[in-house]
Amino acid sequence: MADALRIGLFTHSVNPRGGVVHTLELARALHFLGHRVTVFAPAAPGERLFREAPHEVDLVPVPPAPKRLADRVGEHIVALREHLARRLQHETFDILHAHDGIGGNALADLAEAGRIAGFVRTVHHLDPFDDARLAAWQRRSVQQAARVLCVSPGWCMTIKREFGLDAALVANGVDCAHFGRMPSARDTALAGHFGLRRGAPLFLSVGGIEARKNSLRLLEAYIRLREELPQAQLVVAGGASLLDHSDTWRAFHALAEEVGLKTGTDLVLTGPLLDEDMPPLLRLADALVMPSLREGFGLVVLEALACGTPVVVSGIPPFTEYLEDTVIDGHALYADPQEPASIALAMRRAVEPSRRRALAAEVPPVCRRYSWPASAARHVELYRALLN
């Protein structure tokens, strides 16, 4: 490819968080468009990327995590900055693109030092940090970027309101070859491994136990629902995160213990999963429940729908920005994220047999609208505009 670009993408972790998945899917699609891509990710001793990749992955060594998050973030910024500076001594990149504040600050340091011309920053969402250093790093990573991208219209508006910047909209995607309806032997093996009750309503939450994921109200909704559906299970998958969610964890487990929920049977906490286990788990679920208080997009919603699983989401942006026809078709249901009763009602409606049958008939249009090749093409368009 004569006009192939040399692209460096920066992500904050080797674990399957939404922003990391976006970065890897974008890198893969750019690679298959003929561009030369390297994904940079910090990795502590013994850590490896959660999936294989067809392009170069450069795991940047970082020390084991210190107790304070801000100290850890600072160390990662320095590690990424110094690592890239060494590579820049013998190679050049057309585009350097950060998908989080850590990579953004490493690139901002290099831009201020005159080592690079500038960088692109994708904002998936912004976090409300109490720590002044974390808040300053987050703002700097956006303000210093040569171009800001967002994955939803609502976040484009937030960037305009809070920073006065015009962010470009870039779509997410879903890999329907990976996330599909056809059961596999792994479905049965995974159900046995986690003790999932076949035939009982199985509600799945992805992303761990976090305040942003609204985990406490989800648990309250599940407790209400068990009065009608006593065999129902709640599965919480994932949870690897840089941030400290211990307060939410303690409150979540205290409530579960108070009402007598049995961990491992009523309540299944999988922890981080292998990449190949996500499609089977989504197929095993009777509904994905995502009553988040704040999301950039919610990639797993598209992945669940592609697997033929109905979804319950908060009736707020970004979900209302791309799921309207899916709600009309009955494949997705909105809930008030502030009201456990509303979440419980949507969960009950989501497991009506007619919804699963309707989803089994065809892939929802929303899954056809969003593809990673289309997202990559949009990125290339914006990259070239910046270079010109």
Side-chain angles (χ1 to χ4, degrees):
M1 185 176 179
D3 56 350
L5 297 175
R6 180 70 176 100
I7 303 166
L9 301 180
F10 290 75
T11 191
H12 72 281
S13 172
V14 295
N15 295 311
R17 303 295 298 187
V20 181
V21 172
H22 173 103
T23 306
L24 291 174
E25 292 287 3
L26 172 60
R28 183 174 184 272
L30 289 168
H31 169 81
F32 286 119
L33 285 178
H35 302 285
R36 188 179 167 209
V37 183
T38 300
V39 170
F40 295 88
E47 287 187 333
R48 57 190 295 270
L49 195 63
F50 73 95
R51 67 162 61 156
E52 297 297 323
H55 48 78
E56 182 188 11
V57 174
D58 192 346
L59 297 183
V60 180
V62 294
K67 290 184 178 180
R68 295 187 60 183
L69 174 62
D71 293 337
R72 184 180 189 184
V73 169
E75 289 180 350
H76 287 198
I77 291 170
V78 171
L80 284 172
R81 181 190 71 211
E82 297 305 311
H83 186 86
L84 180 61
R86 288 190 290 272
R87 288 196 63 158
L88 291 173
Q89 292 175 2
H90 53 82
E91 64 182 308
T92 59
F93 290 82
D94 298 303
I95 292 291
L96 293 166
H97 182 176
H99 287 262
D100 60 89
I102 294 174
N105 276 273
L107 295 175
D109 285 349
L110 292 169
E112 287 183 354
R115 299 295 304 277
I116 61 173
F119 65 96
V120 178
R121 166 76 155 97
T122 291
V123 175
H124 296 272
H125 68 269
L126 298 174
D127 288 302
F129 291 117
D130 294 327
D131 187 288
R133 286 186 294 169
L134 294 174
W137 279 326
Q138 179 171 253
R139 292 192 66 84
R140 179 178 183 245
S141 73
V142 178
Q143 290 170 325
Q144 298 287 341
R147 193 69 165 105
V148 178
L149 315 178
C150 291
V151 295
S152 72
W155 282 106
C156 287
M157 290 188 288
T158 298
I159 294 301
K160 181 67 173 178
R161 183 178 65 250
E162 295 192 10
F163 295 89
L165 300 174
D166 292 317
L169 180 64
V170 292
N172 272 307
V174 61
D175 181 358
C176 290
H178 184 57
F179 294 96
R181 291 162 162 68
M182 188 63 66
S184 69
R186 200 170 187 89
D187 297 28
T188 302
L190 200 68
H193 177 73
F194 287 116
L196 306 182
R197 300 172 185 149
R198 308 302 295 270
L202 191 159
F203 298 98
L204 173 64
S205 171
V206 175
I209 298 171
E210 302 182 7
R212 180 171 69 87
K213 299 294 183 182
N214 210 13
S215 299
L216 284 177
R217 291 191 184 94
L218 169 58
L219 181 59
E220 291 174 20
Y222 170 63
I223 292 167
R224 285 171 176 261
L225 198 60
R226 277 174 56 85
E227 296 175 6
E228 182 182 355
L229 300 172
Q231 293 303 307
Q233 284 183 294
L234 177 61
V235 179
V236 181
S241 175
L242 280 176
L243 305 180
D244 180 7
H245 303 290
S246 57
D247 288 347
T248 306
W249 263 85
R250 284 191 290 269
F252 185 94
H253 286 285
L255 177 58
E257 184 177 351
E258 179 184 330
V259 299
L261 292 178
K262 297 181 177 63
T263 301
T265 53
D266 305 320
L267 186 61
V268 179
L269 309 178
T270 71
L273 291 169
L274 297 174
D275 189 51
E276 56 265 33
D277 284 339
M278 280 309 302
L281 187 58
L282 288 167
R283 285 191 293 266
L284 289 165
D286 292 289
L288 172 79
V289 190
M290 200 171 191
S292 302
L293 299 173
R294 187 177 66 260
E295 286 289 345
F297 184 89
L299 275 176
V300 72
V301 170
L302 292 184
E303 294 166 353
L305 291 169
C307 288
T309 301
V311 300
V312 172
V313 297
S314 299
I316 59 174
F319 304 115
T320 54
E321 295 169 346
Y322 68 92
L323 285 176
E324 284 299 305
D325 60 339
T326 313
V327 170
I328 292 171
D329 291 340
H331 303 152
L333 298 99
Y334 290 147
D336 181 346
Q338 302 293 339
E339 295 293 339
S342 175
I343 300 169
L345 177 60
M347 291 168 69
R348 179 65 185 89
R349 292 177 59 205
V351 297
E352 294 168 351
S354 59
R355 297 187 193 279
R356 195 63 180 253
R357 286 197 298 269
L359 264 173
E362 64 173 345
V363 175
V366 68
C367 294
R368 294 194 293 270
R369 284 201 303 273
Y370 292 92
S371 77
W372 289 114
S375 179
R378 170 64 170 155
H379 278 81
V380 171
E381 174 188 334
L382 292 166
Y383 291 159
R384 294 197 187 283
L386 180 61
L387 291 171
N388 289 334

